[in-house]
Amino acid sequence: MTTFVDRVELHVAAGNGGHGCASVHREKFKPLGGPDGGNGGRGGDVILVVEQAITTLLDYHHSPHRKATNGQPGAGDNRSGKDGQDMILPVPDGTVVLDKEGNVLADLVGQGTTYVAAEGGRGGLGNAALSSARRKAPGFALLGVPGTGGDVILELKTVADVALVGFPSAGKSSLISVLSAAKPKIADYPFTTLVPNLGVVTAGSTVYTIADVPGLIPGASQGRGLGLEFLRHVERCSILVHVLDTATLEVDRDPLADLDAIENELKLYGGGLEKRPRLVVLNKVDIPDGQDLADMVRPDLEARGYKVFEVSAVARTGLKELSYFLAEVIAKARARKPKEEATRVVIRPKAVDDSGFTITYDEVEDVYNVRGEKPERWVRQTDFNNDEAVGYLADRLNRLGVEDALRKAGARAGDGVAIGSDANSVVFDWEPTMMAGAEMLGRRGEDHRLEAPRPAATRRRDREAERGDVAQQEYDEFRQNQTGG
């Protein structure tokens, strides 16, 4: 049964914003009570939070679909809807968040670090909040904005100071078990360890963590063995420790060949591992043949510039010197790191000439595309079954400057205008005469501007009919040529 998972695809969806309420206060002996529709509640976020007690992504492997709750709709008597509840997802320290293309969205290191994977939608305003001196009793309310969502990849990169690398059965798990309180699985056959082991070591006043990479063999960087799956766990380490088996029973292996093979895989994998400080541990020297082989290869290793330690995890010899040397290296590495400062809140004001939207012309579709955070959100908040709401949208776009920008872009009455992304846009015929003030409004829920004749729409239909006639004529000529008439 799988108990360790270090990579999952998570499907997240934030909560939708609740709809605003369109209501008029009605009470005995209080005529013209006015609008009293409340605002909709905000949708809940999906938030990733680092928890030190979590060591695996197993929960998300079994249930990858996570959704926050929606905001509640507003109600009459100025009652706002309840906000949706955030979905808090605890993740291990060292989790990297990526998109489907492999781009890093967040690197979550440190207890309590958070990342909003999906943002809840805004709640719609009720007609009480929309009322003004010019629009005293709106007959509409704004709809709630849908929450964001999508797929993200979570990858766990263990936060360890020391990384043990070496061939299967080199004694990495045994070394961790005697240096720390970790209890990994230990046996005399290859690939005993199927998941990274992590242990905490105390040497004097220094406390550091040590981890191993299971199943690292030649070809691991191309997917052989298990090493490729777990090499990411040593990317954050301060020092690499080569654990070499001096008592191997395989005739085609020796410590120097093992070292060269592992170094080659680290270089091919990249990630900066080839530049990390490293030392060599000659393990299993308690065996007579192992001690003899260690004496033979040690001069060659030292000639290459490696610091060499001879240890025995079984006899527990040479461990104290190794542990204190690693503590000294870790302490120096930590001292070189810049001090962490509190996160600063950076305010980036918009440029003076930033209108908040862009307009481009699509020659293929013959439409003007309007893109921008505000116009797209306003379209999603509009109830297009309510004429007054559509008129209010027109007023908002006019105040934002969309009408003037369309004129400058060459748009004329009757041209198609699309607001939003290609997959989810709202397309309409541009009618500049619609961009008028709220004082033209009639009864609640109606807008007289939408009842006026729309010659531009008629011209657009005539153009489409003319195109259809031309196409029919070309088809008739083609059929006539085919029959030889």
Side-chain angles (χ1 to χ4, degrees):
M1 179 180 178
T2 300
T3 58
F4 180 87
V5 174
D6 63 347
R7 190 178 192 277
V8 297
E9 181 175 347
L10 197 60
H11 313 283
V12 295
N16 301 327
H19 299 328
C21 175
S23 172
V24 176
H25 183 72
R26 301 180 184 278
E27 189 174 347
K28 192 175 183 180
F29 305 121
K30 287 188 178 181
L32 305 177
D36 67 347
N39 303 331
R42 186 181 182 280
D45 297 333
V46 178
I47 306 174
L48 305 177
V49 181
V50 173
E51 288 287 348
Q52 295 284 3
I54 305 297
T55 59
T56 176
L57 300 172
L58 181 63
D59 289 345
Y60 309 122
H61 172 74
H62 293 305
S63 53
H65 296 271
R66 301 300 175 104
K67 187 181 187 307
T69 58
N70 299 329
Q72 297 299 311
D77 200 18
N78 293 302
R79 291 175 293 174
S80 296
K82 183 181 179 181
D83 291 341
Q85 187 174 2
D86 293 338
M87 172 68 69
I88 306 297
L89 303 180
V91 296
D93 191 6
T95 300
V96 179
V97 187
L98 308 100
D99 60 17
K100 297 281 286 186
E101 288 71 35
N103 302 312
V104 177
L105 303 177
D107 193 352
L108 306 179
V109 179
Q111 174 69 24
T113 305
T114 62
Y115 172 71
V116 179
E119 188 174 355
R122 293 190 184 190
L125 296 179
N127 65 343
L130 295 172
S131 62
S132 64
R134 298 165 61 187
R135 182 182 281 106
K136 297 183 182 298
F140 68 99
L142 298 185
L143 304 179
V145 177
T148 61
D151 300 335
V152 294
I153 308 297
L154 302 184
E155 282 190 352
L156 175 57
K157 296 183 179 181
T158 304
V159 181
D161 298 304
V162 180
L164 304 182
V165 294
F167 271 65
S169 296
K172 301 186 297 297
S173 298
S174 299
L175 200 56
I176 285 184
S177 67
V178 295
L179 287 174
S180 68
K183 301 299 180 185
K185 182 180 179 182
I186 301 172
D188 58 353
Y189 54 84
F191 298 110
T192 306
T193 304
L194 301 178
V195 300
N197 294 310
L198 189 67
V200 179
V201 182
T202 302
S205 60
T206 304
V207 179
Y208 58 91
T209 55
I210 184 169
D212 74 331
V213 180
L216 190 57
I217 61 174
S221 58
Q222 282 76 41
R224 290 192 62 199
L226 303 174
L228 180 62
E229 296 296 325
F230 302 115
L231 272 170
R232 70 173 69 97
H233 290 274
V234 298
E235 289 185 19
R236 305 182 192 274
C237 67
S238 299
I239 184 171
L240 286 170
V241 176
H242 283 283
V243 181
L244 303 182
D245 187 357
T246 62
T248 178
L249 299 178
E250 300 179 33
V251 295
D252 58 340
R253 283 180 51 197
D254 66 82
L256 293 178
D258 289 357
L259 176 65
D260 293 336
I262 299 301
E263 281 289 336
N264 184 56
E265 294 306 316
L266 295 175
K267 182 179 180 180
L268 293 175
Y269 179 77
L273 296 180
E274 68 280 1
K275 300 178 182 178
R276 301 294 168 84
R278 57 250 288 139
L279 59 86
V280 173
V281 169
L282 298 174
N283 194 21
K284 303 181 184 179
V285 296
D286 56 307
I287 301 175
D289 292 340
Q291 183 63 63
D292 294 341
L293 185 56
D295 293 338
M296 293 173 56
V297 301
R298 180 165 187 154
D300 292 334
L301 293 171
E302 291 177 342
R304 296 187 184 188
Y306 290 106
K307 179 73 174 177
V308 181
F309 288 87
E310 297 179 8
V311 304
S312 170
V314 175
R316 304 203 174 195
T317 58
L319 299 177
K320 185 176 181 180
E321 294 82 357
L322 173 63
S323 177
Y324 276 85
F325 180 82
L326 290 174
E328 182 181 351
V329 174
I330 296 302
K332 292 180 179 179
R334 291 174 180 173
R336 289 194 300 267
K337 286 185 178 180
K339 294 183 178 180
E340 295 184 1
E341 297 181 357
T343 304
R344 297 181 179 179
V345 178
V346 180
I347 300 176
R348 295 182 175 88
K350 292 184 178 180
V352 176
D353 57 350
D354 185 6
S355 61
F357 65 91
T358 60
I359 294 179
T360 57
Y361 177 64
D362 187 344
E363 296 182 357
V364 177
E365 299 293 336
D366 189 24
V367 295
Y368 289 86
N369 294 314
V370 180
R371 297 301 304 272
E373 191 270 332
K374 283 186 177 180
E376 294 181 38
R377 187 180 76 244
W378 292 347
V379 165
R380 292 195 297 268
Q381 290 180 310
T382 301
D383 179 7
F384 286 93
N385 294 320
N386 187 302
D387 291 346
E388 191 178 352
V390 177
Y392 178 69
L393 171 64
D395 294 338
R396 300 178 88 180
L397 294 175
N398 185 23
R399 290 193 298 269
L400 188 62
V402 174
E403 180 181 2
D404 293 338
L406 284 171
R407 286 198 184 96
K408 292 178 182 178
R412 296 181 300 174
D415 288 342
V417 175
I419 300 179
S421 61
D422 296 337
N424 191 26
S425 62
V426 175
V427 183
F428 58 91
D429 295 335
W430 185 46
E431 296 288 349
T433 55
M434 288 178 57
M435 311 296 185
E439 66 276 1
M440 295 184 60
L441 301 179
R443 295 181 299 176
R444 286 192 297 274
E446 296 181 355
D447 190 326
H448 296 312
R449 292 172 291 176
L450 302 179
E451 300 175 1
R454 302 179 64 191
T458 303
R459 290 198 304 270
R460 188 178 183 87
R461 287 194 296 268
D462 293 341
R463 284 202 306 268
E464 294 176 353
E466 184 177 343
R467 292 174 186 170
D469 294 340
V470 172
Q472 183 65 39
Q473 182 178 356
E474 292 176 350
Y475 176 75
D476 293 341
E477 293 177 357
F478 171 76
R479 292 287 297 175
Q480 186 177 6
N481 294 333
Q482 289 290 101
T483 56

